[in-house]
Amino acid sequence: MKICIIVDDYLPRSIKVAGKMMHELALEFQKNGHSVSVITPDDQLKFGSSKQHFESIQVIRFSSGRIKNVWKPIRLINEYLLSFRAQLFLRRWIEINPQDLIVFYSPTIFFSGLVEYLKAKWQCKSFLIVRDFFPQWTIDNGLLKEDSVIVKFFRFYEKRMYKCADKIGIQSPANLEWFRNKFPEFGNTTLLYNWATENANIQTSQIEKKSIPKNDISIKVLNLREEYNLKGKIIFFYGGNIGTAQHMQNLLDLAEGLLKEDTAFFIFLGNGDEFQFVSQQIRSKNLHNSILLPSVSQEEYLFILDQVDVGLITLHPHHKTHNFPGKILGYMQKGLPILGIVNPGNDLQSIINKAGAGYIETNNDYEELIIAAKRMLSKSLRNKMGNASRELLKSDFSVSKAISVILG
């Protein structure tokens, strides 16, 4: 089968979990005998398109404006133009490369025009992978109002995206129930957990053979304990988006609650609209047990996970949907116990806690989070939970299981 993957962010340039997940999906498709092509935007291309192979996967990039880490109005314009630009710059490739299945990823919500065009051209089916309900989370967090013109605009394209999908993969049981209640007209849904390969060591060994640029960030990342004098410390690590949806105050309060624990240390790494807020809070509250670092490449990120002890997650308490943060995949790959705080009703709490892979609390149980963090200062407990974390990846979050759902 010829499979076309469409995603707005892809390796090797991507620093997002989505790029890594979709590449692992592409490799698994290929492993199972399918031919895979990836279509993705590239803001470094001035005009036209380019074709290359990354780890045996054909990647077709088309010229696009910036859609990551840019002023929101600019991002909106460039995302809105994604389908138009893809059709314009990839018309010749589309003509001579018919595919049997389209697998596309959201966010973004603006690939519907491209998918509609490809389905008509290729006479094939499509599978939509939904990992984040937009604009719902902006409404939940008070950033936009449900009856506003901009939300009506977003809702139009959100529903258009759902309509062009023959099947829609939702990432958690609670989200699946929420979606079916919110959009009963779309009955073509199925449960599709996030996924990752079971062994990240292969990737790490490959990275060690490469020449990693010796910039300041790389040097600090590759020698965390030496660079920041963390020998003997238990490192609680958060890596990913640092934004409104995450409500980083949760983890800042946790760090403040463990100031008296000499062995506990917190590393926050990423980019987002709360980056400066986190930086300011660390200074103003004198959180001497915390540091903030900017985003790094996927290569460097793997090295970081080898050096830390506990993986952290946080979600805004006002979320009505129940997303599973993609960062838990890397934590499970490396056998890290998971500690975090999520919105009430999020079934990630029961999944992690029941498996013994860590402690997940809700925003109503902040004191329990502090207690759980202190328990995790025990090496034997971390080892036990880390092993359970790795086993949970194999049983519920494997890429092979994701393939079976998409092709089933």
Coordinates of all heavy atoms in Angstrom, one line a residue, residues 62 86 120 140 174 193 223 225 250 261 271 318 403:
F62 N 7.1 21.6 1.2 CA 6.7 22.7 0.3 C 6.9 24.0 1.0 O 6.8 24.1 2.3 CB 5.2 22.5 -0.1 CG 4.2 22.5 1.1 CD1 3.6 23.7 1.5 CD2 3.9 21.4 1.7 CE1 2.7 23.7 2.5 CE2 3.0 21.4 2.8 CZ 2.4 22.5 3.2
A86 N 0.5 24.0 -0.5 CA 0.8 22.6 -0.8 C 0.3 22.2 -2.2 O 1.0 21.5 -3.0 CB 0.2 21.6 0.3
A120 N -10.0 13.4 -3.9 CA -10.7 13.4 -5.2 C -9.7 13.0 -6.3 O -10.1 12.3 -7.3 CB -11.2 14.9 -5.5
D140 N -11.7 27.0 26.7 CA -11.6 26.5 28.1 C -10.8 27.4 29.0 O -11.0 27.6 30.2 CB -11.1 25.0 28.1 CG -12.0 24.1 27.4 OD1 -13.2 24.4 27.2 OD2 -11.6 22.9 27.1
A174 N -11.7 9.2 27.5 CA -12.5 10.4 27.9 C -12.7 11.4 26.8 O -13.7 12.0 26.6 CB -11.8 11.1 29.1
Y193 N -4.4 5.8 21.0 CA -3.4 6.4 21.9 C -2.2 6.9 21.2 O -1.9 6.6 20.1 CB -2.9 5.3 22.9 CG -3.9 4.9 24.0 CD1 -4.3 3.6 24.2 CD2 -4.5 5.9 24.8 CE1 -5.2 3.2 25.2 CE2 -5.4 5.5 25.8 CZ -5.7 4.2 26.0 OH -6.6 3.8 27.0
N223 N 26.1 17.6 29.2 CA 26.7 17.4 30.5 C 25.9 18.1 31.6 O 26.5 19.0 32.4 CB 28.1 18.0 30.5 CG 29.0 17.4 29.4 OD1 29.5 16.3 29.5 ND2 29.1 18.1 28.3
R225 N 24.6 17.4 34.6 CA 25.1 17.3 36.0 C 26.4 18.0 36.3 O 26.6 18.6 37.3 CB 25.1 15.8 36.4 CG 23.8 15.1 36.5 CD 23.8 13.7 37.0 NE 22.5 13.1 37.0 CZ 21.6 13.2 38.0 NH1 21.9 13.9 39.1 NH2 20.4 12.6 37.9
N250 N 1.6 25.1 38.0 CA 1.6 23.9 38.8 C 3.0 23.4 39.2 O 3.2 23.0 40.3 CB 0.9 22.8 37.9 CG -0.6 23.0 37.7 OD1 -1.2 23.5 38.6 ND2 -1.1 22.5 36.6
E261 N 14.0 20.2 50.3 CA 14.5 18.9 50.0 C 15.8 19.1 49.3 O 15.9 19.4 48.1 CB 13.6 18.1 49.2 CG 12.2 17.8 49.9 CD 12.4 16.9 51.1 OE1 13.4 16.1 51.1 OE2 11.5 16.9 52.0
N271 N 9.9 25.9 24.9 CA 9.5 27.3 24.4 C 8.0 27.4 24.5 O 7.3 26.4 24.5 CB 10.0 27.6 23.0 CG 11.5 27.9 23.0 OD1 12.0 28.7 23.8 ND2 12.2 27.4 22.0
H318 N -8.6 24.0 33.7 CA -9.9 24.4 33.1 C -10.1 23.6 31.8 O -11.2 23.8 31.2 CB -9.9 25.9 32.8 CG -9.9 26.7 34.0 ND1 -9.5 28.1 34.0 CD2 -10.2 26.4 35.3 CE1 -9.6 28.5 35.2 NE2 -10.0 27.6 36.0
I403 N -0.4 1.3 14.4 CA -0.5 0.9 13.0 C -1.8 0.0 12.9 O -2.5 0.1 11.9 CB 0.7 0.1 12.6 CG1 1.9 1.1 12.5 CG2 0.5 -0.6 11.3 CD1 1.8 2.0 11.3

